[in-house]
Amino acid sequence: MKPFPCATAVALLFAVTACTTVPPAKPAAPAPKRPVRHSYWIGDGDTGAPSIRIVLSEQRAYFYKGGKLVGESVISSGKKGFDTPPGNYKVIQKDKDHVSNIYGDYVDAQGNIVKKNVDVTKDPLPPGATFQGAKMPFFMRFTGGYGMHAGYLPGYAASHGCVRMPETMAEHFFDAADTDTPVTVEP
């Protein structure tokens, strides 16, 4: 038996390996959908029973008409120690120009802030000052001292328990909801 010449052996090796089948690569998993981080409203032409869903873990609120999602908003809910309570509620009060009777600033006779971000139940009133409640435009109370309204949105839970929204979204929700509109707050 004669040994194969080197060139023949290499050619045979390439022929054998070229015929092997390589399993197709697995398709890449689709990238997870990132949640929409903006707010929107498309509900002016829609009808149907309104309902509101607030998801605290997402820091988002959803508005439905007849079961159809017509608006979505970023929110800032209650910070630790002032948590927004999960549960099933209804809008029990609407006040377009609501002002807090607990949180706000102490001001002097000229309207200058003497002490900012006070809680009247904890912060004593300085002599000569008066209390000026925090503005809560488009306020909709859903239980106790908790409601939805326009306010500051730092990108995380930071309120005293209320659900703050951008002013345009608070106005849309306010205009589209009636008293007795169901409000579901989820953890």
Side-chain angles (χ1 to χ4, degrees):
M1 182 183 239
K2 293 185 176 182
F4 287 104
C6 187
T8 307
V10 170
L12 183 59
L13 181 62
F14 278 115
V16 171
T17 58
C19 292
T20 57
T21 57
V22 177
K26 285 185 177 180
K33 290 185 178 181
R34 294 183 57 197
V36 177
R37 297 286 31 145
H38 66 281
S39 300
Y40 68 88
W41 183 262
I42 56 170
D44 289 338
D46 288 290
T47 59
S51 63
I52 298 168
R53 179 174 163 242
I54 297 165
V55 184
L56 302 174
S57 62
E58 296 176 4
Q59 289 295 284
R60 305 208 48 86
Y62 304 89
F63 198 99
Y64 299 85
K65 284 187 179 179
K68 177 184 174 191
L69 180 63
V70 297
E72 184 175 340
S73 180
V74 294
I75 66 166
S76 180
S77 63
K79 62 186 173 183
K80 189 171 177 85
F82 295 91
D83 303 287
T84 306
N88 296 311
Y89 309 103
K90 289 186 177 192
V91 173
I92 55 177
Q93 176 195 9
K94 290 179 65 174
D95 182 358
K96 184 178 180 222
D97 299 310
H98 190 75
V99 176
S100 176
N101 60 355
I102 298 175
Y103 304 108
D105 301 323
Y106 289 139
V107 298
D108 63 18
Q110 291 75 38
N112 300 311
I113 295 174
V114 175
K115 189 169 184 185
K116 192 171 183 61
N117 297 323
V118 300
D119 175 339
V120 296
T121 66
K122 297 177 183 174
D123 299 306
L125 181 68
T130 58
F131 174 71
Q132 185 177 67
K135 294 179 180 181
M136 301 175 164
F138 305 106
F139 182 79
M140 291 193 296
R141 185 182 311 275
F142 54 84
T143 188
Y146 301 94
M148 296 171 270
H149 61 83
Y152 175 62
L153 297 161
Y156 51 87
S159 79
H160 287 107
C162 282
V163 176
R164 300 180 194 154
M165 308 170 82
E167 187 160 359
T168 56
M169 295 308 297
E171 185 174 7
H172 283 304
F173 278 47
F174 185 90
D175 290 344
D178 299 314
T179 52
D180 291 331
T181 294
V183 177
T184 302
V185 180
E186 300 174 10

